């Protein structure tokens, strides 16, 4: 089991790292360029590279774990890419996109919300089908957990390394237990290790493409590892954090909290 976990993680890390090197040398379009919080130019190609690594890792574990992780990584990454490439920034956050939709303005962010929600339900159904009969309530709650995890990772992708560190922390206990969900968690962590270097250096970032895929894959691992009670508990926590993000800045909270501040800054170049 340990050898299999190491193989999945290694494949994911190697594929993500290799994909990043290839994409940054082959893709010259400015559509994948952004200005980060510090005013520096960064590339969003880390996101597609993460999706490649995560998909390779999830596919390696699919023979025993099923295809749920593959669906979550590809689906969430694809809808994230739609927002990265087509979003105009006129609406922000869950509240902004839903509000725009209520006014008849369908944003790419709204399409992403619906798409990742559908992806989450599909991944939850596949996860349950590989172990037992599918229950509609469990599938819907599981889908919401996967979509909520994708959104939370995206909310954290505001400083170098932050979303990837949280991905690694969230994946670790699911990897250690070596039960259902371990393969998806290992794929998520391995892909994170494959691209964390340029992310911490502040030269690349996940964007919606990578952050949504990372969160969705960890969410899928959690869904695979839990029953209804665990999923409901996770959904309550995710919903609370999402609602809190509409009112408070996670960055301000992190930077004003000892321990969190140092962990968040760890690995970044000294200024």
């Amino acid at each position: 089991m340990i050898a299999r976990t190491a193989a999945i993680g290694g494949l994911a890390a190697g594929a993500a790292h290799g994909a990043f090197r290839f994409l940054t040398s082959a893709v010259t379009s400015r559509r994948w360029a952004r200005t980060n919080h510090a005013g520096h130019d960064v590339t969003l190609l880390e996101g597609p590279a993460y999706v490649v690594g995560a998909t390779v890792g999830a596919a390696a574990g699919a023979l025993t774990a099923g295809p749920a992780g593959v669906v979550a990584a590809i689906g969430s990454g694809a809808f994230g890419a739609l927002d990265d490439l087509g979003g105009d920034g006129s609406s922000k956050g869950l509240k902004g996109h839903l509000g725009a939709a209520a006014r008849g303005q369908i944003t790419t962010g709204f399409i992403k919300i619906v798409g990742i929600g559908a992806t989450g339900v599909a991944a939850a159904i596949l996860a349950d089908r590989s172990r037992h009969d599918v229950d509609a309530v469990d599938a819907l709650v599981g889908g919401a957990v996967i979509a909520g995890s994708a959104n939370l990772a995206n909310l954290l992708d505001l400083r170098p390394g932050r979303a990837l560190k949280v991905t690694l922390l969230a994946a670790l206990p699911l990897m250690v237990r070596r039960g259902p969900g371990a393969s998806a968690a290992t794929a998520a962590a391995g892909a994170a290790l494959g691209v964390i270097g340029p992310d911490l250096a502040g030269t690349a970032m996940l964007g919606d493409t990578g952050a949504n895929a990372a969160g969705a894959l960890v969410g899928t691992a959690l869904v695979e590892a839990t029953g209804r009670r665990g999923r409901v508990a996770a959904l309550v926590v995710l919903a609370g954090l999402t609602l809190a993000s509409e009112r408070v800045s996670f960055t301000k909270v992190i930077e004003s909290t000892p321990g969190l501040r140092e962990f968040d800054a760890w690995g970044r170049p000294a200024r």
Side-chain angles (χ1 to χ4, degrees):
M1 185 67 179
I2 295 176
R4 181 172 171 275
T5 298
I8 291 172
L11 282 170
H17 181 72
F20 181 74
R21 293 187 63 180
F22 171 76
L23 289 171
T24 51
S25 64
V27 178
T28 58
S29 172
R30 291 294 298 173
R31 296 182 70 187
W32 290 101
R34 292 292 187 277
T35 301
N36 69 5
H37 72 286
H40 301 147
D41 287 340
V42 299
T43 177
L44 293 183
L45 290 171
E46 178 188 330
Y50 180 92
V51 173
V52 170
T55 302
V56 168
L63 289 177
T64 56
V70 175
V71 170
I74 294 177
S76 296
F79 284 109
L82 173 67
D83 208 21
D84 276 337
L85 296 176
D88 62 7
S90 59
S91 298
K92 295 288 187 180
L94 186 64
K95 182 179 179 181
H97 293 303
L98 293 179
R103 297 190 299 272
Q105 302 170 4
I106 304 301
T107 64
T108 56
F110 178 77
I111 296 173
K112 184 184 75 169
I113 291 169
V114 174
I116 291 180
T119 295
V121 172
I125 290 173
L126 290 170
D128 287 345
R129 193 175 67 179
S130 68
R131 294 186 295 162
H132 50 69
D133 292 337
V134 175
D135 179 271
V137 173
D138 289 345
L140 288 173
V141 175
V145 168
I146 294 169
S149 299
N151 181 61
L152 180 60
N154 196 31
L155 292 174
L156 293 170
D157 189 36
L158 296 176
R159 293 295 185 273
R162 181 181 295 170
L164 291 176
K165 290 176 187 176
V166 173
T167 296
L168 288 165
L169 279 180
L172 183 60
L174 294 165
M175 294 166 56
V176 170
R177 69 190 299 272
R178 299 179 191 173
S183 293
T186 302
L193 290 174
V195 295
I196 198 169
D199 198 306
L200 284 170
T203 59
M205 62 186 295
L206 288 168
D208 288 16
T209 307
N212 285 149
L217 194 51
V218 172
T220 299
L222 182 60
V223 166
E224 290 178 326
T226 58
R228 183 176 297 181
R229 289 184 179 180
R231 296 178 187 187
V232 169
L235 183 57
V236 169
V237 172
L238 288 166
L241 290 171
T242 301
L243 291 173
S245 72
E246 299 286 344
R247 294 182 174 274
V248 299
S249 165
F250 285 173
T251 294
K252 288 183 179 179
V253 172
I254 290 169
E255 291 179 348
S256 63
T257 305
L260 287 179
R261 178 175 58 244
E262 288 74 20
F263 174 74
D264 189 51
W266 178 80
R268 297 175 191 159
R271 295 179 180 178

